Structures are given as structure tokens and as C-alpha cells.
């Protein structure tokens, strides 16, 4: 085996970890793949003599992701725009083996939404240290900070993340609540819908920048129920699924994915709903596993 073949094999061994890092950093499956590919190009040309290839590749993909986050932040005209990260969709009874590395550490949509609110350097410090155990001394050069300052970046991010909605770990209990929500939506039962929702529920609906339907954030159970017509449309074609490891729904009339809904269920109430209805992004989403 020549040196190039050996490097390619070692890179493939690291690919699942690199994809997991990039997905947590970017919240985009396609951008995560781009970042990993860029890491391969750099490894192919610059990794000669590197002793710890895994650590070196993690640093490379992190730098690529940091640049992408900063570029994204500079392009974003309104920092308050509603954005739902790319969901990972699986059958309701099992997770695709290829998705398992991406979904460790309970990387639900609710967590990714919070990560999207962080400054790029905060996000990198938190993801690398808290999720992948990278020491602050190794993260500091990536964000051009001293280790102590890098620790503070992660600490600030951690405080934000700790306030996120954490789902009930029992998928069966989640499923019962989501099924009750869908049944009430199909029947136009407003009171039934209200009974499934936490009073302080947060709903985000991302229709994409080119849609005639504006993206929105809706706060509170009664305000969410007032959007029941859209739920009825989703419920009619609802297919149960796991969305980032939690119960969710894929709306796919005639086989075309129109929306993916991720639910966060806690104490038998829905505390958060994240809806991706951006048709351009949904067209690239892999939901083939639902038909397997």
C-alpha cells in the first residue's frame, strides 16, 4: 500500500467524527460535507509528517467551519431571521447506522437552534470542548485566544445551551403526545390541541428566503393553536419519523417532502416545535430511510 492509499484509509476512519464536528458547528448537512471535503484536500497536500492525524484533521475542519460561520454571519442581514437547522430523519423505530455518529450527545434540533444564536468562536469552543473533549489549550490557537479566554467562550455558550428544552428520553411517551397532537389537528379539535401543548411552547417555522409564506416564531400555546389550519395540513399527510433522535413528523403528500417537524416533548407536553418547510433545502434531504 502506498502512502496516498494509507492516508485515504486513515481519513475515512476519521470521516464520521469530522462530519459530526462539522454538523454541530454548522447545523447544515451539505455544508458539513463541504467542510469535510475541504479537510481532505488539505490533508492530501499538507499532512506529511503529522503524527496525530485525527487531532490535526479535527483542527483543520474546525478552522474551515469557523470561516464558514463568520462568512454566514457577515451575509445575514437580519440576525433575528428564523432559521431551522437541517434535520436528520430516520424511521420511527430505528436510527440509520450512518446517522448514529451525527446524533450522539442528543444533538436535537432544539440544541442546534441554540447553537445558531452563538457567536462563531463561542460555538466552536463549546462544540470542541464540551462535545468532543478537545482541551482548551488546543482550541485556543483556532480562535486566536489565550486558553483562559477560550474557556470563557465555552462557559458563555454553556449557559445559553443549558436553557434549551430537553426532551423526555422515553420515545414511547413522546410518540403518544405527538399522536394526540396530530389526531387533534386532523379533527380540528382546538381544545385537544391545547391539551398537548406546554403553556410556554415555542414554535419556529422556516419556509426559506424565497417563499411567499413568511417564516415565523410563535410563542405560547394559544397563539400556536391559532395556527391550527397549517397543522391540519401537516397532519393530513403526516408520517411519523425520528427527527434528530426525537419524535417528529414528515409531511410528504404524493411522496414529495413539504415539511419536517421536530417536536420536543417534556412532561407529556410539547414544549417546542421546529418546522423546516424550505422546499429548496428539503429537496436535498434524505428521507429514503422512511420507505425502507
Amino acid at each position: 500500500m502506498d502512502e496516498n492509499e494509507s492516508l485515504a484509509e486513515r481519513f475515512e476512519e476519521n470521516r464520521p467524527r469530522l462530519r459530526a464536528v462539522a454538523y454541530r458547528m454548522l447545523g447544515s448537512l451539505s455544508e458539513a460535507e463541504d467542510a469535510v471535503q475541504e479537510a481532505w484536500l488539505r490533508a492530501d497536500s499538507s499532512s506529511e509528517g503529522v503524527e496525530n492525524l485525527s487531532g490535526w484533521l479535527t483542527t483543520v475542519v474546525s478552522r474551515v467551519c469557523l470561516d464558514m460561520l463568520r462568512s454566514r454571519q457577515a451575509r445575514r442581514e437580519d440576525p433575528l431571521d428564523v432559521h431551522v437547522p437541517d434535520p436528520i430523519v430516520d424511521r420511527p423505530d430505528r436510527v440509520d447506522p450512518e446517522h448514529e455518529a451525527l446524533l450522539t450527545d442528543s444533538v436535537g434540533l432544539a440544541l442546534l437552534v441554540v447553537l445558531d444564536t452563538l457567536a462563531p468562536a463561542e460555538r466552536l469552543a463549546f462544540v470542541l470542548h464540551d462535545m468532543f473533549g478537545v482541551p482548551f489549550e488546543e482550541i485556543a490557537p483556532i480562535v486566536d485566544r489565550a486558553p483562559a479566554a477560550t474557556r470563557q467562550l465555552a462557559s458563555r455558550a454553556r449557559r445559553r445551551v443549558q436553557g434549551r428544552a430537553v426532551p423526555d428520553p422515553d420515545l414511547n411517551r413522546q410518540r403518544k403526545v405527538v399522536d394526540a397532537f396530530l389526531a387533534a389537528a386532523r379533527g380540528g379539535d382546538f381544545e385537544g390541541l391545547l391539551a398537548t401543548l406546554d403553556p410556554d411552547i415555542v414554535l419556529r417555522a422556516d419556509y426559506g428566503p424565497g417563499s411567499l409564506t413568511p417564516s415565523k416564531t410563535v410563542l405560547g400555546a394559544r397563539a400556536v393553536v391559532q395556527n391550527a389550519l397549517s397543522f391540519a395540513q401537516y397532519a393530513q399527510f403526516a408520517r411519523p419519523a425520528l427527527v434528530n433522535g426525537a419524535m417528529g413528523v414528515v409531511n410528504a403528500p404524493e411522496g414529495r417532502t413539504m415539511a419536517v417537524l421536530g417536536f420536543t416533548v417534556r412532561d407529556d407536553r410539547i414544549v417546542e416545535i421546529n418546522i423546516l418547510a424550505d422546499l429548496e433545502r428539503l429537496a436535498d434531504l434524505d428521507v429514503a430511510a422512511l420507505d425502507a
Side-chain angles (χ1 to χ4, degrees):
M1 181 183 299
D2 64 28
E3 188 173 336
N4 287 339
E5 289 178 345
S6 176
L7 175 61
E9 282 195 3
R10 293 167 66 197
F11 183 86
E12 288 305 316
E13 291 172 358
N14 282 277
R15 183 183 289 275
R17 173 185 170 89
L18 298 178
R19 289 183 69 226
V21 169
Y23 178 60
R24 287 157 179 73
M25 283 287 296
L26 300 168
S28 165
L29 293 167
S30 61
E31 289 184 357
E33 289 292 348
D34 290 345
V36 172
Q37 182 61 24
E38 177 64 24
W40 163 247
L41 294 175
R42 297 188 187 186
D44 193 33
S45 61
S46 307
S47 63
E48 185 176 352
V50 172
E51 295 184 4
N52 180 6
L53 184 64
S54 178
W56 186 85
L57 288 170
T58 298
T59 296
V60 170
V61 83
S62 298
R63 289 186 185 277
V64 173
C65 289
L66 185 60
D67 289 343
M68 295 172 76
L69 285 174
R70 287 170 172 166
S71 176
R72 179 194 296 174
Q73 188 179 57
R75 292 194 310 268
R76 186 173 295 177
E77 295 180 0
D78 185 354
L80 300 179
D81 284 346
V82 176
H83 177 74
V84 174
D86 287 354
I88 297 173
V89 181
D90 288 287
R91 284 177 47 163
D93 57 344
R94 61 181 172 87
V95 174
D96 188 303
E98 291 189 3
H99 293 165
E100 288 180 354
L102 290 174
L103 291 172
T104 55
D105 305 313
S106 301
V107 186
L109 285 184
L111 172 59
L112 291 172
V113 166
V114 175
L115 292 180
D116 262 353
T117 67
L118 302 177
E122 291 176 344
R123 186 168 188 168
L124 184 144
F126 175 80
V127 167
L128 289 185
H129 181 267
D130 285 43
M131 293 185 166
F132 292 94
V134 179
F136 288 119
E137 289 75 14
E138 296 179 19
I139 301 171
I142 303 174
V143 294
D144 195 24
R145 302 281 211 288
T150 305
R151 186 185 299 273
Q152 288 301 312
L153 290 175
S155 179
R156 287 201 297 269
R158 196 176 301 119
R159 287 194 293 270
R160 297 285 293 276
V161 168
Q162 286 171 347
R164 78 188 190 281
V166 179
D168 188 312
D170 188 333
L171 284 175
N172 290 326
R173 291 181 66 176
Q174 291 185 36
R175 178 71 181 267
K176 288 180 181 178
V177 175
V178 173
D179 284 349
F181 172 88
L182 292 174
R186 291 188 183 106
D189 180 0
F190 287 9
E191 290 301 319
L193 273 173
L194 197 61
T196 67
L197 304 179
D198 184 88
D200 299 318
I201 184 174
V202 178
L203 178 145
R204 301 177 190 85
D206 180 355
Y207 291 92
S211 173
L212 296 177
T213 304
S215 298
K216 58 188 175 183
T217 299
V218 182
L219 305 177
R222 293 198 174 275
V224 168
V225 168
Q226 289 173 1
N227 289 264
L229 179 59
S230 62
F231 294 142
Q233 294 171 341
Y234 292 134
Q236 183 179 357
F237 300 103
R239 302 169 64 189
L242 289 179
V243 177
N244 286 60
M247 285 309 307
V249 164
V250 173
N251 178 36
E254 299 180 356
R256 184 189 181 196
T257 304
M258 302 296 290
V260 174
L261 289 75
F263 292 83
T264 302
V265 177
R266 185 173 61 204
D267 298 329
D268 298 320
R269 292 289 186 273
I270 300 169
V271 299
E272 193 165 313
I273 304 174
N274 289 293
I275 304 172
L276 179 63
D278 182 335
L279 297 182
E280 183 175 341
R281 291 169 59 200
L282 288 170
D284 296 328
L285 199 65
D286 179 16
V287 296
L290 295 182
D291 300 317

